[in-house]
Amino acid sequence: MESFAQILFGLGDKLAAHVVLAASAIGLGIAVALPLAVWASRSQTVNRLALGFASLVQTIPALALLALFFPILLSLRAVFGEGLPTLGFLPALLALALYALLPILRNAVTAQANLDPGILEAADGVGMTSWQKLRLVEAPLSAPFIMAGIRTASVWTIGAATLSTTIGQPSLGDPIFAGLQTQNWALVLAGCFASAGLALVTDILLGLIERGLAARKRWQWAGGMLAVALGLIAALVYQSGGDDDDAIVIASKQFSEQYILAQLIGSQLQKAGYKVEYRDGLGSAVVHNAVTSSNIDISVDYTGTIWTNNLKRTDNPGREAMYETIKQWEAEEHGVRVLGRLGFENAYAFAMREERASALGVETLNDLVPVAGQLTVGGDPEFFERPEWTAVREAYGLDFGETRNFAPTFMYNALRSGEADVISAYTSDGRIAADRLIILEDPREALPSYDAMLMMSPRIADDEEIAAALEPLIGAISVEAMREANFAVDREGEGKLSPKAAAAELAEAIGL
Amino acid sequence: MSAPDPPDTPILTFDRVERRYGDDDEVIAVGGVDCTIQSGSFVALVGASGSGKSTLLKMVNTLVTPTAGRVLFAGEDVTEQSQSQLRRRVGYVFQGIGLFPHFTVGENIAIGPRLAGETLSTERISELLTLVELEPDMAARMPDELSGGQRQRVGVARALAGDPELLLMDEPFGALDPITRDALGEKVRELHERLGLTTVMVTHDMAEALLLADRVLVMDAGLLVADASPSELLKGGGGEVAQGLVAVPRQQAEKLAAMEGRLA
């Protein structure tokens, strides 16, 4: 495992992306909030509407706000054309800017309302036009208060920007999400440390500017601004150096297998001489849209997922028919090329501890029906919203005593500690063998198959060289090999590997 | 500086000026004032709080606009003149002093000309500071480093910076201690003479009005109730409200004289 310091120093590109994103969002927030504040100071209606709207936005959780911009931008494509990005920088920028709006707006409005009326009258009396009054009197006298608002907004935005990882924008959230998923606490800590450090430094610099403005010490606020500007320029330079339009972007969802496969695909492409970039930790629903819109180039998805979520099918025609239907549908509907199946399935399956299952006499989902009322079922956050859950419940008439959501990693801990009796496990998960879990049989075939497929975005769909580089992966990964790699990442203590190291071992195991 | 008007030319005329507030104009601040002010005169506008004197003054440089009637400055309706031009020709000293706290003293004095795109020379700023009996090196200071009296002197210097024809003062000495107040009053009167200004000063202090002005206008409930010279007022003219206001300093003076008599 890499040490904390190594991880921290390896975060340069994430930090640069984080700085550029947060600064752009605050910049946009300021650009919208200040004119709005001036308008609000001249109209009670605007005042109420603007502050009401900004407060309302604050009540939406940042994660939800970020996610909401995906469908919004998707529908805006009708106006702005297909080139409008729906993932990555743009939605993150818009959501964070909205979030930054309130503190800036509120402080600016309050500052204006609290200006000494005698001074404002004097400004009129000496013959200032309303623009001169704004520029020469209102703005400079409000500046320290506005700066305080910008300071609050900056600290919030830097924190919330870590969440933009989930919509495909690189940030300091990448190590946090990846670390949470793979139980790599050094990675989580490094991400939090860097993000908190950035927020702290920003707060100190903006505080310097604020006090400089209040005390009218030019060297102080100008010095603070210079330091902020230098930091921004450094981030921009670093980012423009690292950014590459030719690079092939590989996505991964928020679980270990996806991180490992992304690394495996990446190293395979690098061997063939391609530059690659990773978008780790995307929301599951986001990944398919991202690959169809070429926001990312390569993803690994599962037949059952596409079948139910995207084709909206509830029937189960069997493994082969399902794959062929999806392959054809992706090509016709989106221009996405399904290169092939990797060889293993990562299906949803219900798992229990061996001793608990035998005590209850449960071997199949059928056996679960009479005892379900006393049991707690645990699932990942999306499972209970998925059609598979509905299908299983309807097919067997299952009615559990309690349902609980867990992050995939904690689901297994919950089973071990008895907080859940049954979980929605994944068949390729290494912990099934390691924790001596049994998979309940599904005699009514309510759960579809989940063959892992390699998907290529329309941008690279016709590139036979890329296809050739990835061809060795097709049909090459057995469920045992995948379980072993997954377990190496998910386990704790001795032998725990980073996704990259696990990918290297997997490559060796399958003879690449 | 424009050529001084010959004396006794009307520089300011109030023509049935009214100012009402409220949704139905039910609150009357100024209820129809007719009056002419001659060039070169020093007029005090006296009245109790809420009598409308400040509102009347503010209608001269359109800080407040009349709801009826007209205010003529040099023969022209003030609402039809360019506002910034008008406010440059009319120096204004504010009740709350109103120095810009983020400007130096020098920048405060130079603001009027600066707004018109001119730069006031350091010499001119020194000259103006000297005029109000402040040290020229005070130009570099910030307003919050000054005493109240010094600040209002800067306020007067600022009002004079654009070479105004008319000087309006709204309770200029209200916030000052009696000694500073007295000294600054004398100074303003002297500048009025020296610079050939026309001055209109709003005050609630009849003694101040009697001592400084050539002519005292008394307002009550939005109306002009007296228009007399200080000597006429002291002789008992001007009517009931005016005499009520004159009675206060007179009684104070008499009591003081009586006390001095007893001590002697």
Side-chain angles (χ1 to χ4, degrees):
Chain A
M1 297 293 295
E2 288 175 289
S3 75
F4 178 72
Q6 276 174 311
I7 295 169
L8 201 59
F9 286 114
L11 287 179
D13 54 337
K14 307 291 184 204
L15 179 66
H18 201 98
V19 168
V20 172
L21 173 65
S24 307
I26 296 155
L28 184 61
I30 295 170
V32 173
L34 292 189
L36 209 55
V38 172
W39 194 11
S41 73
R42 282 149 175 74
S43 156
Q44 270 300 313
T45 318
V46 175
N47 189 342
R48 272 196 299 273
L49 283 177
L51 280 176
F53 172 74
S55 306
L56 184 74
V57 167
Q58 285 294 325
T59 65
I60 305 173
L63 195 62
L65 194 63
L66 283 159
L68 274 176
F69 266 92
F70 181 72
I72 293 173
L73 288 171
L74 209 58
S75 61
L76 282 179
R77 281 191 167 180
V79 185
F80 295 103
E82 288 300 308
L84 189 73
T86 53
L87 290 167
F89 189 76
L90 184 67
L93 171 73
L94 296 176
L96 292 174
L98 265 183
Y99 231 53
L101 214 54
L102 182 69
I104 305 175
L105 189 63
R106 182 170 282 167
N107 275 42
V109 167
T110 312
Q112 285 220 327
N114 288 336
L115 288 177
D116 181 352
I119 288 167
L120 295 181
E121 188 181 63
D124 287 327
V126 299
M128 288 189 193
T129 61
S130 62
W131 168 244
Q132 285 170 327
K133 186 161 90 168
L134 180 67
R135 188 169 59 88
L136 296 171
V137 180
E138 290 171 288
L141 291 181
S142 304
F145 303 98
I146 294 171
M147 205 57 225
I150 292 174
R151 206 171 141 194
T152 310
S154 300
V155 174
W156 287 8
T157 305
I158 289 170
T162 54
L163 299 173
S164 60
T165 292
T166 55
I167 53 166
Q169 164 61 28
S171 75
L172 289 171
D174 292 14
I176 299 176
F177 278 92
L180 274 178
Q181 191 41 59
T182 59
Q183 298 207 19
N184 182 341
W185 305 122
L187 207 54
V188 176
L189 220 60
C192 293
F193 187 82
S195 156
L198 179 63
L200 216 61
V201 169
T202 308
D203 191 48
I204 290 169
L205 286 178
L206 297 183
L208 193 72
I209 298 173
E210 183 190 328
R211 284 192 303 279
L213 285 171
R216 306 195 178 93
K217 285 182 184 157
R218 189 183 295 265
W219 61 267
Q220 193 177 344
W221 61 257
M225 283 189 181
L226 188 71
V228 171
L230 284 177
L232 264 176
I233 290 166
L236 276 170
V237 168
Y238 194 102
Q239 216 194 17
S240 67
D243 211 40
D244 202 329
D245 287 344
D246 300 336
I248 296 172
V249 182
I250 305 164
S252 68
K253 302 186 188 183
Q254 297 165 3
F255 50 95
S256 305
E257 179 173 298
Q258 288 273 323
Y259 292 106
I260 297 167
L261 291 174
Q263 292 292 335
L264 182 66
I265 293 164
S267 71
Q268 197 65 17
L269 287 173
Q270 278 172 329
K271 265 195 283 178
Y274 290 99
K275 286 179 194 157
V276 297
E277 272 176 31
Y278 299 98
R279 292 277 184 284
D280 288 337
L282 296 188
S284 174
V286 161
V287 170
H288 187 258
N289 287 303
V291 75
T292 57
S293 58
S294 296
N295 273 309
I296 57 159
D297 294 315
I298 295 176
S299 70
V300 172
D301 227 313
Y302 305 91
T303 50
T305 308
I306 304 290
W307 187 255
T308 47
N309 286 2
N310 302 99
L311 274 74
K312 309 284 181 204
R313 299 272 291 262
T314 49
D315 56 327
N316 191 348
R319 198 169 168 180
E320 289 305 316
M322 190 184 274
Y323 170 69
E324 290 303 329
T325 310
I326 289 170
K327 185 171 179 168
Q328 199 180 348
W329 181 80
E330 288 290 359
E332 283 168 8
E333 201 76 12
H334 299 296
V336 167
R337 177 173 178 180
V338 178
L339 189 64
R341 287 176 284 184
L342 294 174
F344 71 94
E345 258 195 280
N346 183 4
Y348 272 113
F350 287 85
M352 292 180 80
R353 278 187 302 148
E354 220 166 30
E355 56 276 25
R356 182 88 172 125
S358 57
L360 289 166
V362 173
E363 284 177 10
T364 70
L365 288 174
N366 271 329
D367 302 334
L368 209 51
V369 178
V371 291
Q374 318 149 28
L375 303 181
T376 297
V377 60
D380 62 50
E382 64 180 275
F383 181 72
F384 296 113
E385 303 302 324
R386 291 178 69 102
E388 288 92 333
W389 171 238
T390 318
V392 168
R393 262 189 325 177
E394 281 172 4
Y396 294 92
L398 272 172
D399 194 5
F400 282 100
E402 201 188 334
T403 55
R404 291 185 68 178
N405 281 321
F406 297 99
T409 306
F410 296 115
M411 212 157 59
Y412 293 90
N413 296 345
L415 199 56
R416 220 177 299 149
S417 66
E419 281 172 86
D421 303 296
V422 184
I423 58 166
S424 66
Y426 320 107
T427 51
S428 62
D429 202 307
R431 284 167 292 200
I432 288 174
D435 287 1
R436 295 199 298 131
L437 305 182
I438 66 150
I439 298 282
L440 303 183
E441 280 170 43
D442 173 21
R444 297 186 194 180
E445 293 190 333
L447 291 165
S449 59
Y450 284 85
D451 276 309
M453 305 176 286
L454 214 158
M455 325 263 283
M456 295 166 71
S457 74
R459 186 174 86 95
I460 60 162
D462 299 327
D463 193 322
E464 291 308 329
E465 281 177 47
I466 296 177
L470 296 173
E471 200 64 52
L473 295 174
I474 301 303
I477 307 173
S478 67
V479 72
E480 289 77 18
M482 195 67 238
R483 268 187 196 159
E484 196 176 322
N486 284 341
F487 187 62
V489 171
D490 289 333
R491 68 179 300 166
E492 284 160 43
E494 198 75 9
K496 186 175 173 66
L497 296 179
S498 70
K500 192 172 181 172
E505 287 202 350
L506 180 60
E508 208 172 316
I510 62 176
L512 286 176
Chain B
M1 200 187 287
S2 56
D5 296 293
D8 297 340
T9 314
I11 187 169
L12 195 58
T13 306
F14 296 100
D15 177 13
R16 295 187 310 278
V17 175
E18 274 187 30
R19 174 70 214 195
R20 290 161 183 264
Y21 291 100
D23 294 336
D24 303 313
D25 287 348
E26 74 277 13
V27 184
I28 301 170
V30 174
V33 168
D34 267 309
C35 174
T36 300
I37 289 166
Q38 309 301 325
S39 179
S41 56
F42 194 124
V43 178
L45 201 50
V46 192
S49 304
S51 61
K53 55 192 193 304
S54 267
T55 308
L56 187 65
L57 191 75
K58 283 175 184 164
M59 284 194 281
V60 176
N61 74 345
T62 67
L63 281 174
V64 173
T65 47
T67 42
R70 299 182 304 162
V71 179
L72 304 178
F73 174 56
E76 246 188 290
D77 189 333
V78 288
T79 57
E80 284 163 16
Q81 302 184 26
S82 136
Q83 203 175 53
S84 50
Q85 280 293 331
L86 171 75
R87 288 178 187 171
R88 289 205 58 213
R89 290 170 68 194
V90 179
Y92 201 104
V93 179
F94 300 89
Q95 184 172 10
I97 303 177
L99 293 186
F100 303 117
H102 56 304
F103 287 175
T104 62
V105 165
E107 285 167 341
N108 262 289
I109 292 173
I111 186 68
R114 177 179 162 193
L115 295 175
E118 296 160 25
T119 317
L120 215 56
S121 68
T122 321
E123 292 76 38
R124 175 71 178 141
I125 293 172
S126 302
E127 188 187 321
L128 285 160
L129 282 168
T130 314
L131 213 55
V132 294
E133 291 176 339
L134 290 173
E135 293 301 319
D137 62 9
M138 221 169 238
R141 301 244 198 116
M142 300 306 285
D144 60 7
E145 299 168 44
L146 271 52
S147 71
Q150 288 172 326
R151 263 182 250 171
Q152 193 53 296
R153 284 171 193 265
V154 175
V156 173
R158 178 172 70 179
L160 296 175
D163 293 324
E165 296 147 62
L166 180 64
L167 181 63
L168 304 178
M169 298 196 285
D170 187 1
E171 302 267 12
F173 316 126
L176 305 178
D177 66 84
I179 294 174
T180 313
R181 183 184 179 115
D182 209 42
L184 197 50
E186 302 262 325
K187 186 71 211 171
V188 166
R189 176 73 215 193
E190 183 202 321
L191 287 172
H192 167 84
E193 305 285 346
R194 178 141 47 114
L195 303 175
L197 294 167
T198 307
T199 304
V200 182
M201 176 178 74
V202 162
T203 177
H204 61 266
D205 183 347
M206 182 54 99
E208 191 171 81
L210 292 171
L211 290 167
L212 295 176
D214 317 321
R215 180 181 174 194
V216 178
L217 304 176
V218 179
M219 283 192 78
D220 184 46
L223 295 173
L224 214 53
V225 293
D227 178 357
S229 68
S231 56
E232 283 165 342
L233 285 170
L234 288 170
K235 282 180 210 150
E240 197 183 332
V241 180
Q243 282 308 309
L245 292 166
V246 173
V248 180
R250 176 178 281 149
Q251 281 165 9
Q252 286 174 337
E254 282 166 359
K255 281 181 194 164
L256 287 172
M259 282 169 75
E260 278 173 347
R262 279 202 300 276
L263 288 170

